[in-house]
Amino acid sequence: DAKTTQPTSMDCAEGRAANLPCNHSTISGNEYVYWYRQIHSQGPQYIIHGLKNNETNEMASLIITEDRKSSTLILPHATLRDTAVYYCIVRVENNAGNMLTFGGGTRLMVKP
Amino acid sequence: DVKVTQSSRYLVKRTGEKVFLECVQDMDHENMFWYRQDPGLGLRLIYFSYDVKMKEKGDIPEGYSVSREKKERFSLILESASTNQTSMYLCASSTPGSYSGNTIYFGEGSWLTVV
C-alpha cells in the first residue's frame, strides 16, 4: 500500500485559501489520490479525488504533481465550518473490492 | 443524495452483552465496510463485504462478526462486548471496480460505550 504523509495540524484564517499538502512518494501508477474530511463526531465526508490531472469541484481543488509523489488540497475560501481533520488517502484495492486505509490526517483549524 | 444510515448513534452496553450495529445504504452498492475509529489510531477496517452473504476480514476482526443477508444491509455483531471495544464505529459503502476511482461513502457513526 502506498502510504501518505501529512502535517499533523494547520491553521488558516477565515476567507483565505487553505492549502493542505500530502506526500505519497510510493504511489503506483493505477492508484488514485482521495481526500476526505471528518468534522468532529461525524462520519468522514468525501471531498475530491484524482489520478494524474488537477481536479476541481464545488468543494475544493486537487493539485497533483507531475511525478504524482505529492498533492495539495485547496479550499479556496475557508470558512469556520471547514474546521475538520482532512485525510489524504491513496486508494488500495484487493481482489474482492476496494478499501481505503486512513492515516492520522491533518487537523485544520479555521480561525476568524 | 447518497445515504448510509447507521441505526444507533449512541449506545451504552454492559460487558458480555451481545451488540448489533446495523447499517443500511440506499445506493445499491455492492461493497460495504465496517471501521472503528479511536483517538490516535485513525480508522481501522474490521470487516468488509463485496456481495450478499460474502465477507472478508479487515485489519482488526477479532471479537467481531458480520452479517450481509441483503445487499442494502450490513450488520456488525459483537458477540460478547468488552470494554476495549468502546469506540466509534463507522459503516461505509461503495461500488466495486478497478481503477475507476469510485468513492466510499460513510455513515454518521455509532458511538458505543461498553461499561
Side-chain angles (χ1 to χ4, degrees), chain A residues 18-96:
Chain A
N19 298 297
L20 293 97
C22 180
N23 287 323
H24 32 78
S25 58
T26 59
I27 191 171
S28 58
N30 59 359
E31 289 179 314
Y32 286 70
V33 179
Y34 282 78
W35 282 85
Y36 281 77
R37 73 180 183 184
Q38 189 169 23
I39 297 168
H40 183 62
S41 300
Q42 298 182 20
Q45 177 190 22
Y46 165 79
I47 302 173
I48 199 167
H49 73 279
L51 182 62
K52 293 181 182 178
N53 300 321
N54 298 337
E55 301 288 343
T56 296
N57 63 20
E58 65 278 3
M59 288 183 70
S61 294
L62 174 61
I63 308 299
I64 302 174
T65 57
E66 193 169 341
D67 63 7
R68 303 211 323 125
K69 293 185 177 181
S70 66
S71 60
T72 301
L73 178 75
I74 301 172
L75 307 178
H77 305 287
T79 69
L80 299 180
R81 294 182 188 180
D82 292 322
T83 293
V85 178
Y86 287 76
Y87 295 99
C88 168
I89 300 144
V90 174
R91 182 170 167 269
V92 176
E93 191 172 71
N94 67 0
N95 292 333

Side-chain angles (χ1 to χ4, degrees), chain B residues 5-109:
Chain B
T5 303
Q6 295 182 226
S7 58
S8 302
R9 193 87 168 94
Y10 300 97
L11 306 94
V12 179
K13 297 291 182 180
R14 294 190 182 279
T15 301
E17 274 193 79
K18 191 169 186 175
V19 182
F20 291 88
L21 298 179
E22 305 285 347
C23 175
V24 176
Q25 51 95 2
D26 64 0
M27 297 165 282
D28 202 34
H29 283 169
E30 285 82 356
N31 297 337
M32 295 189 75
F33 309 83
W34 275 105
Y35 291 85
R36 63 177 281 179
Q37 186 173 31
D38 301 287
L41 296 176
L43 269 72
R44 293 181 290 167
L45 182 65
I46 305 171
Y47 267 96
F48 68 96
S49 167
Y50 54 90
D51 202 353
V52 175
K53 296 191 184 297
M54 306 302 287
K55 60 185 179 183
E56 294 283 344
K57 293 180 180 179
D59 299 320
I60 51 163
E62 295 79 19
Y64 303 94
S65 62
V66 290
S67 172
R68 184 105 180 263
E69 296 297 317
K70 294 185 179 181
K71 189 177 184 180
E72 68 270 19
R73 188 179 296 271
F74 192 36
S75 302
L76 180 70
I77 303 155
L78 289 68
E79 293 288 342
S80 178
S82 63
T83 54
N84 63 11
Q85 292 178 309
T86 292
S87 184
M88 181 163 105
Y89 290 87
L90 286 160
C91 175
S93 72
S94 77
T95 56
S98 300
Y99 319 129
S100 63
N102 49 292
T103 60
I104 290 184
Y105 296 92
F106 287 86
E108 284 294 296

